[in-house]
Amino acid sequence: MTEPAESAELARIDPDETISLLQEMVQIPSPYFEEHELSEFVYDWLDSRDLDPEYHHVSEPKITEYEGDNVLARLEGSDPDAPTLLLNAHMDTVLLVEDWEEDPCSGRIEDGKLYGQGACDMKGGLAAVMVAFEALAESDVDLAGDIVLSAVVDEEGPYGLGTDRLIRDGYTDDYDAAIVTEPGPILAQEEDIDNPALLLGARGRFLYDIEVKGHAAHGSQPHKGTNAVVDAGKVADALSNLDVGSHPKLGDGSVCPLLLEGGSQTLSVPERAQLMVDRHVVLGETEEIVREQAEEAVAALDIESEVEIGFRESPDPGIKYGPYVTPEDHDLVTSLVGATESVAGVEPEFGYFASVGDFNYLGDRADLPTVIVGPDGENIHGAGEFVYTDEVVETARIVAEGAMRFVGSE
Ligand SMILES: [Zn+2]
């Protein structure tokens, strides 16, 4: 049952204000590594509502030379023993796609759809957590636990530097759980689920590179050399037929050789070839296991080339997209189920995310029970991306009420 206080919070979330906030943010281009303008916008939006935002600087001088700023804000609860909840959304989008038939940052609204790069992934979810946070701040209800809002940079880039920095700087140490408002069912593994839905986990992902070193000889006498290109092909084939792990909720792991290059234009037996392999993993498949498995598969081939397997260089050894599953009976899940029933009048479906993102950092590295709940749309990362505006408002309401239920109130 919805209690009167909760209804008042929901009433504060105004659909028109929510969608015009979303539209303004879609009209500010923010491909990863270029979020400065949107960062400032989010800061100013919170500041003008006296929500005490702070910038949290993100610097990665080693590989990407990136400098940017997350924006954080915190509502203090009245009970130090009550749980602290993180609301996390990323501000960046993929690079603007060229195939758009209109301005990719138009924010045009038609038939309940708002168009633009990042509209669904995930400025819709960002707008939802911002208005939910504001509604909670303005509420007359005395929240018991704390609620933290983090609008982060660089989720779409190669390393997820914004949320990574949040974890490495110790911010997440005192958090108890996280909500990430990434697009929902559209990116779930289950094809038949619809919003309202809660995604309770995700597979993890490792990328590895394989160096194949053969032995050159005159191309007219291939038997005198060791052909690295031929051997790399055998390795790619063996890896794509690996027996991978399986999990009752996350489904199966997967292996996909993404790139194979090498060889020479001259009349020589190719000496070198490289492979890049994507490996999606389920719980229990660690980096060590993935490496051993690949090494065993290569050893079983009995090829003459030397084969070396290495994981991607990253700015920090901690940067890993591990898999996680949040238990269905965790307090955050039951709080969000209750909120969904109250807001949407139906029970949410449960699903699991198909790929990786900041939620892996929170669910696995920071060890926070993490739930994804977010508005759906279509053409994510592509031309014609849009989000359903009513789902943005619904997400904001579910998050506000779910957060209140989870941290408790007096
Ligand atoms: Zn995203």
Side-chain angles (χ1 to χ4, degrees):
M1 290 301 292
T2 309
E3 291 175 18
E6 288 164 346
S7 308
E9 301 336 304
L10 303 183
R12 277 176 217 276
I13 290 173
D14 179 72
D16 293 341
E17 280 172 30
T18 306
I19 299 313
S20 73
L21 169 64
L22 166 60
Q23 191 173 43
E24 272 188 88
M25 294 200 292
V26 168
Q27 287 166 348
I28 300 171
S30 61
Y32 63 90
F33 297 160
E34 293 173 46
E35 308 94 339
H36 296 60
E37 195 184 341
L38 186 56
S39 229
E40 264 174 42
F41 175 90
V42 172
Y43 181 97
D44 291 343
W45 188 91
L46 292 164
D47 193 41
S48 66
R49 285 157 178 79
D50 294 323
L51 297 171
D52 297 329
E54 57 171 286
Y55 283 119
H56 170 231
H57 192 61
V58 179
S59 170
E60 198 293 290
K62 229 166 75 182
I63 298 176
T64 59
E65 299 180 2
Y66 175 67
E67 304 288 332
D69 291 287
N70 295 329
V71 181
L72 308 178
R74 186 171 190 131
L75 296 177
E76 303 271 354
S78 56
D79 177 0
D81 296 328
T84 295
L85 175 66
L86 172 69
L87 308 179
N88 183 272
H90 64 80
M91 296 185 283
D92 60 315
T93 70
V94 291
L95 304 180
L96 302 183
V97 175
E98 282 177 14
D99 303 350
W100 281 84
E101 285 167 11
E102 62 182 313
D103 174 3
C105 299
S106 74
R108 179 172 63 85
I109 301 173
E110 195 179 317
D111 296 334
K113 301 167 186 168
L114 189 146
Y115 290 83
Q117 202 79 74
C120 190
D121 186 6
M122 63 174 282
K123 292 182 178 178
L126 176 62
V129 285
M130 286 166 69
V131 299
F133 187 81
E134 182 193 19
L136 291 162
E138 286 179 354
S139 118
D140 303 325
V141 176
D142 198 3
L143 295 173
D146 291 8
I147 294 174
V148 179
L149 172 70
S150 65
V152 298
V153 291
D154 184 41
E155 198 271 348
E156 302 286 6
Y159 306 111
L161 296 174
T163 295
D164 167 63
R165 184 45 69 189
L166 209 59
I167 295 171
R168 282 205 270 156
D169 286 348
Y171 281 82
T172 53
D173 292 353
D174 77 323
Y175 303 167
D176 295 284
I179 293 175
V180 182
T181 47
E182 284 275 11
I186 183 92
L187 293 176
Q189 294 204 44
E190 302 80 3
E191 279 168 16
D192 54 347
I193 69 168
D194 284 312
N195 262 333
L198 305 176
L199 305 189
L200 306 184
R203 296 192 300 173
R205 178 193 197 214
F206 298 114
L207 260 186
Y208 52 89
D209 292 302
I210 299 182
E211 197 53 53
V212 181
K213 197 172 159 238
H215 179 65
H218 196 276
S220 65
Q221 298 170 312
H223 61 280
K224 292 191 173 170
T226 303
N227 192 320
V229 165
V230 171
D231 283 352
K234 289 179 186 168
V235 171
D237 182 57
L239 291 177
S240 44
N241 289 307
L242 276 183
D243 262 337
V244 291
S246 175
H247 182 273
K249 302 290 187 192
L250 297 179
D252 298 332
S254 57
V255 194
C256 184
L258 298 176
L259 182 129
L260 197 168
E261 62 187 6
S264 71
Q265 305 268 2
T266 57
L267 191 53
S268 299
V269 174
E271 225 181 342
R272 286 182 187 277
Q274 291 90 31
L275 262 171
M276 180 168 85
V277 180
D278 169 272
R279 177 75 163 84
H280 272 70
V281 296
V282 297
L283 288 184
E285 293 186 306
T286 61
E287 194 177 86
E288 266 314 291
I289 289 176
V290 163
R291 178 196 289 275
E292 277 168 25
Q293 205 180 29
E295 282 170 352
E296 279 167 24
V298 169
L301 283 175
D302 203 20
I303 51 180
E304 274 179 37
S305 293
E306 281 173 42
V307 179
E308 207 174 305
I309 299 171
F311 285 82
R312 275 280 139 125
E313 187 195 10
S314 74
D316 183 85
I319 291 188
K320 282 192 183 69
Y321 290 99
Y324 74 97
V325 169
T326 299
E328 288 180 16
D329 61 357
H330 187 272
D331 273 357
L332 177 62
V333 180
T334 46
S335 298
L336 286 167
V337 168
T340 306
E341 286 170 343
S342 153
V343 170
V346 291
E347 258 184 60
E349 296 189 69
F350 289 157
Y352 295 84
F353 210 81
S355 191
V356 297
D358 277 355
F359 37 84
N360 292 83
Y361 285 177
L362 297 168
D364 174 51
R365 286 174 63 187
D367 205 19
L368 298 175
T370 298
V371 175
I372 299 169
V373 50
D376 249 354
E378 291 283 352
N379 306 324
I380 291 176
H381 290 193
E385 178 173 348
F386 68 81
V387 67
Y388 294 109
T389 54
D390 57 347
E391 293 195 13
V392 175
V393 177
E394 187 175 87
T395 298
R397 291 180 166 160
I398 291 171
V399 168
E401 184 167 332
M404 187 176 290
R405 286 174 184 236
F406 177 68
V407 302
S409 56
E410 320 227 313

